[in-house]
Amino acid sequence: MSADTVPDADWGTVTGWGRTAPTAALLVRPRTYEEAAVAVRDCGARGGIARGLGRAYGDAAQNAGGAVLDMTALDRVHAVDVAGGTVLCDAGVSLHRLMEVLLPLGWFVPVTPGTRYVTVGGAIGADIHGKNHHVSGSFTRHVLSLELLTADGGVRTVAPGTPLFDATAGGMGLTGVILTATLRLQPVETALMSVDTERAGDLDDLMARLTATDHRYRYSVAWIDLLARGRATGRAVLTRGDHAPLDALP
């Protein structure tokens, strides 16, 4: 495959989120599922891999000398089941966009990482976790089905509990290119959060607090002072919270 034979394709340099170890690849920007299929079939000996918004910590969405499919143009929210709490969307939709669409309807993305600027496809490929991992598990636990473009250019509907789904969930894009996904959502009453913040004097104190009361919170994160020494080793700021209910607002 060359930049001359594929629509909206050119050679460029890509990196991970840390912007280290840049590599040159043919960047393909499919605008339809058909263009994505053409790119996959014609990607050549070095193969191709999908890329979202480039927030991978390492080099997951790089392919030196090969093709990289920028999926961000495939970003439609197809349908929201407001009563049932599900959404069908393209893999290139960002979690930020989903929040904009879902929050006014009383729903929220079930798992969010440290940034909302990741795509649904990337969230599935990396099987991301959030600060609610102890309650909700990782992202693909909430995927009801997905459409996967495989190396032969065919599209398969993949359901949880199948070998292909298990290989795709956290498979870093190596089973194919995710085109769409149907997600189960988290119900919320408001767009606000109720948050508790406390200090832990040392690592033992932090772990005791988490063990005793973490089950009361949907979201939990501790920032640990790695420079502290002596009796203060492991001291931390512990922040926990949940979606604020309507009756908690002023």
Side-chain angles (χ1 to χ4, degrees):
M1 180 170 61
S2 71
D4 297 327
T5 59
V6 178
D8 202 4
D10 55 73
W11 285 90
T13 300
V14 293
T15 68
W17 202 4
R19 298 185 180 181
T20 62
T23 56
L26 180 63
L27 302 178
V28 186
R29 303 173 185 85
R31 290 157 297 192
T32 65
Y33 304 148
E34 292 75 18
E35 287 185 1
V38 169
V40 167
R41 285 196 299 265
D42 299 341
C43 59
R46 284 292 299 167
I49 195 164
R51 180 181 179 89
L53 289 169
R55 262 60 174 191
Y57 290 118
D59 57 359
Q62 294 176 239
N63 186 22
V68 173
L69 280 69
D70 181 342
M71 299 297 291
T72 55
L74 295 172
D75 60 352
R76 292 169 294 175
V77 178
H78 293 281
V80 179
D81 182 348
V82 177
T86 63
V87 61
L88 168 63
C89 62
D90 284 342
V93 173
S94 70
L95 300 192
H96 171 77
R97 177 59 182 153
L98 280 185
M99 292 176 196
E100 290 182 324
V101 172
L102 297 173
L103 268 172
L105 303 175
W107 297 97
F108 194 70
V109 180
V111 172
T112 58
T115 172
R116 69 182 71 179
Y117 298 106
V118 300
T119 62
V120 168
I124 295 171
D127 198 14
I128 60 170
H129 70 276
K131 306 303 184 287
N132 60 343
H133 197 204
H134 63 296
V135 174
S136 301
S138 56
F139 193 87
T140 56
R141 180 181 179 183
H142 307 274
V143 177
L144 300 176
S145 69
L146 59 88
E147 288 184 304
L148 185 70
L149 171 63
T150 53
D152 59 1
V155 177
R156 302 187 187 185
T157 299
V158 186
T162 62
L164 185 55
F165 185 94
D166 294 341
T168 302
M172 306 307 283
L174 298 183
T175 60
V177 177
I178 299 168
L179 297 178
T180 71
T182 301
L183 311 177
R184 182 189 301 111
L185 305 172
Q186 168 67 35
V188 295
E189 295 183 15
T190 74
L192 301 178
M193 300 291 295
S194 176
V195 179
D196 292 334
T197 302
E198 53 194 290
R199 295 181 181 182
D202 56 33
L203 187 59
D204 288 339
D205 182 22
L206 172 63
M207 299 309 293
R209 291 169 187 262
L210 289 170
T211 301
T213 59
D214 219 34
H215 63 280
R216 302 176 187 171
Y217 299 90
R218 179 170 295 275
Y219 302 95
S220 179
V221 61
W223 292 93
I224 300 175
D225 182 359
L226 298 179
L227 299 179
R229 296 293 182 266
R231 296 177 62 184
T233 298
R235 67 183 181 183
V237 174
L238 178 58
T239 304
R240 296 180 288 187
D242 206 338
H243 300 275
L246 191 59
D247 59 12
L249 302 187

